[in-house]
Amino acid sequence: MTRSYVFVLLAVFGLFFLQLYGENVPYGTLISIGLIGFIIVLTVFQLKRKPNH
């Protein structure tokens, strides 16, 4: 497992727990949007690094 896969996995778990328990977190919406963007960027980076043959 590469480092970017680990970061995507951690970001997905972070987003999940933020949505589950974070109704009183200040700037929760911005953190959620940031995590989604982080997941997308790392996924695109990983796909560019190892294209499917």
Side-chain angles (χ1 to χ4, degrees):
M1 232 162 120
T2 61
R3 192 180 321 150
S4 63
Y5 282 134
V6 172
F7 285 144
V8 168
L9 192 63
L10 288 174
V12 168
F13 278 121
L15 184 63
F16 172 73
F17 285 112
L18 181 67
Q19 294 299 315
L20 195 60
Y21 299 115
E23 57 267 352
N24 293 328
V25 176
Y27 306 111
T29 305
L30 291 176
I31 295 171
S32 298
I33 293 170
L35 281 174
I36 291 170
F38 185 66
I39 292 167
I40 291 171
V41 166
L42 284 179
T43 303
V44 168
F45 175 74
Q46 190 66 26
L47 288 176
K48 282 187 175 184
R49 226 174 108 212
K50 291 185 179 179
N52 294 331
H53 296 288

